[in-house]
Amino acid sequence: MSLIASIAKIFEDTTTTFSNTGYAFLSMEAYIMCMVVFVILFNRQQNSSDQTEARVVWSRMLFVEIIYCLTKFLSVLIDVNIIPNSDIAKKTMIGINLLSFVFAGLLMIKYMILTRHTAHLNTKRAGKNKTRLLTAVYVLVIVSLIWIQTRNWKNTFLCYVMIIADIIMYLNYSESLVSIDPLTKIPNKNGLYRSLSEIFNDENSKLDLLHVFMIDVDGMSVINSRYGRHEGDKALKIIAGAFKKFRDEEHQCYISRYYGDDFIITAEVENKDDRELFIEHIRNYISNAAMSRGLPYHLRVNIGWAKYEHFSKTETIDGIIDEAENSLNNDREQRQSQVVWQK
């Protein structure tokens, strides 16, 4: 064979090899990029102040995706014989991929259950519908893509779609994080004002009457001075937990930590009797939560309220909150006078 023929043969073999492994290079590049992005998101979530159960489930989902991409990367190396090709190796990679698919599905089901409650008051409100839609789309995208890529590793563009889906979820979380109180894991003052602004500015709202309840802890300074700030924080978390349980079991409402030991709850309450029953149930939930934890002190709260009528054009957020605060001060004075009279 002549020199020219030998060179032509080498060039032909090289071209054939490259064309046969071209998809492999693209796939390996895609899987490496996926793993890098997922590792960054996973690390940021691990260091985040928001460690609610839904966020923890999402971080586990990211970990599953990292393992999945790693096994797909190894599968590509096996297919192009960079790693010795064998039936055992192939079956092992397929098995891990299928387990990833199953775990992803289970985690996503749990994630959807945990996100059934959001920071919005009305279940028909656009913000909540957006969150639910985003969650549903995310679940379908991730689970479907893991299944498709398990069947065919040459679909490299699917990796980039997975990256986009997770980045959108992260940005959505980051936006909501500024509205979450890091101690109690419930909306803070920013979240409260955003929710009330939506209600006040919604011209098409069917909401006619909204009650704003302001709640503070009776004797919080005594708890802090006698038992320490750590115990005071614990008391605030117990109260927030009682509010969550009340919301889940009794009345769909918006709960938030306004400032210090002040909380605000907004809810649709129709009349005086319903309002008094609402307040009584809140007190009962807090009392039961304190008793179940065996605290060395009683948790009592003062509660004030104000009502917002949607057809009124003169109401402002600050005005409603000031009215609720004045009512709270009156309730505190009445309860203190009752204690003095009883003594």
Side-chain angles (χ1 to χ4, degrees):
M1 182 181 294
S2 65
L3 178 61
I4 295 177
S6 298
I7 295 174
K9 176 64 173 173
I10 294 173
F11 180 78
E12 181 182 355
D13 291 343
T14 303
T15 302
T16 301
T17 301
F18 180 79
S19 62
N20 290 336
T21 59
Y23 281 116
F25 289 131
L26 291 175
S27 296
M28 286 188 289
E29 181 183 85
Y31 293 132
I32 290 173
M33 181 174 293
C34 276
M35 281 190 287
V36 170
V37 173
F38 295 152
V39 167
I40 292 173
L41 293 178
F42 179 78
N43 181 65
R44 292 186 68 87
Q45 167 54 26
Q46 293 298 105
N47 296 324
S48 172
S49 61
D50 183 6
Q51 294 296 326
T52 55
E53 193 172 359
R55 290 298 301 265
V56 172
V57 170
W58 182 59
S59 68
R60 290 173 181 171
M61 181 66 197
L62 289 171
F63 182 76
V64 170
E65 291 172 4
I66 293 170
I67 299 300
Y68 169 79
C69 289
L70 177 60
T71 57
K72 292 304 295 181
F73 178 79
L74 295 176
S75 297
V76 176
L77 297 181
I78 293 172
D79 284 340
V80 296
N81 292 314
I82 295 178
I83 293 178
N85 195 337
S86 68
D87 290 338
I88 296 177
K90 284 186 176 181
K91 290 179 179 179
T92 300
M93 293 299 106
I94 291 175
I96 295 176
N97 292 159
L98 291 176
L99 284 175
S100 300
F101 172 76
V102 172
F103 280 123
L106 293 175
L107 287 171
M108 285 298 97
I109 291 173
K110 185 174 182 180
Y111 178 80
M112 292 186 72
I113 293 173
L114 291 172
T115 53
R116 71 188 185 279
H117 292 297
T118 64
H120 293 270
L121 168 66
N122 195 331
T123 56
K124 296 181 180 179
R125 194 159 293 279
K128 186 163 187 177
N129 289 336
K130 177 183 176 182
T131 301
R132 285 182 167 175
L133 178 62
L134 180 60
T135 300
V137 170
Y138 174 74
V139 170
L140 292 174
V141 167
I142 296 300
V143 175
S144 299
L145 294 186
I146 288 180
W147 172 252
I148 293 172
Q149 288 198 304
T150 299
R151 304 293 298 174
N152 185 2
W153 57 262
K154 293 183 179 181
N155 293 313
T156 55
F157 75 95
L158 298 177
C159 263
Y160 301 109
V161 178
M162 292 173 67
I163 290 175
I164 293 172
D166 275 306
I167 289 178
I168 291 175
M169 287 298 295
Y170 175 75
L171 292 176
N172 184 62
Y173 270 132
S174 298
E175 182 182 353
S176 64
L177 189 58
V178 297
S179 300
I180 298 295
D181 175 51
L183 176 66
T184 59
K185 309 304 180 186
I186 63 175
N188 57 19
K189 184 177 180 178
N190 291 335
L192 172 68
Y193 271 71
R194 287 175 60 181
S195 176
L196 290 177
S197 295
E198 290 180 7
I199 296 173
F200 279 45
N201 297 326
D202 187 359
E203 297 294 337
N204 300 319
S205 174
K206 297 180 180 180
L207 179 66
D208 295 327
L209 184 64
L210 178 74
H211 273 77
V212 177
F213 298 91
M214 178 170 276
I215 305 164
D216 75 353
V217 184
D218 193 10
M220 190 67 192
S221 59
V222 176
I223 296 175
N224 285 329
S225 61
R226 181 173 299 179
Y227 300 100
R229 294 284 178 180
H230 177 75
E231 189 65 30
D233 289 345
K234 178 181 176 181
L236 294 176
K237 289 191 284 187
I238 291 174
I239 290 174
F243 290 156
K244 292 177 185 178
K245 188 175 182 181
F246 172 76
R247 178 195 61 192
D248 296 345
E249 297 180 352
E250 293 282 345
H251 199 296
Q252 181 64 32
C253 56
Y254 183 97
I255 59 178
S256 62
R257 183 185 179 191
Y258 183 65
Y259 180 79
D261 64 337
D262 291 341
F263 296 85
I264 287 183
I265 296 179
T266 59
E268 296 179 42
V269 180
E270 297 294 334
N271 51 53
K272 179 180 178 181
D273 292 338
D274 289 342
R275 181 175 64 238
E276 291 178 353
L277 186 62
F278 188 94
I279 292 174
E280 181 184 353
H281 283 189
I282 288 177
R283 295 189 194 278
N284 290 338
Y285 268 82
I286 293 174
S287 177
N288 292 337
M291 291 178 60
S292 66
R293 301 294 288 270
L295 300 178
Y297 48 85
H298 296 289
L299 275 182
R300 299 186 179 92
V301 294
N302 305 302
I303 302 177
W305 59 272
K307 61 181 179 180
Y308 163 73
E309 296 174 329
H310 185 69
F311 52 81
S312 173
K313 302 299 183 181
T314 59
E315 298 284 9
T316 63
I317 295 177
D318 290 332
I320 290 292
I321 292 178
D322 287 344
E323 187 179 343
E325 187 172 6
N326 291 333
S327 175
L328 172 69
N329 293 332
N330 292 334
D331 181 68
R332 184 187 300 111
E333 291 174 1
Q334 290 177 5
R335 291 171 64 82
Q336 288 176 350
S337 65
Q338 289 174 359
V339 172
V340 172
W341 182 84
Q342 290 173 358
K343 290 181 178 179

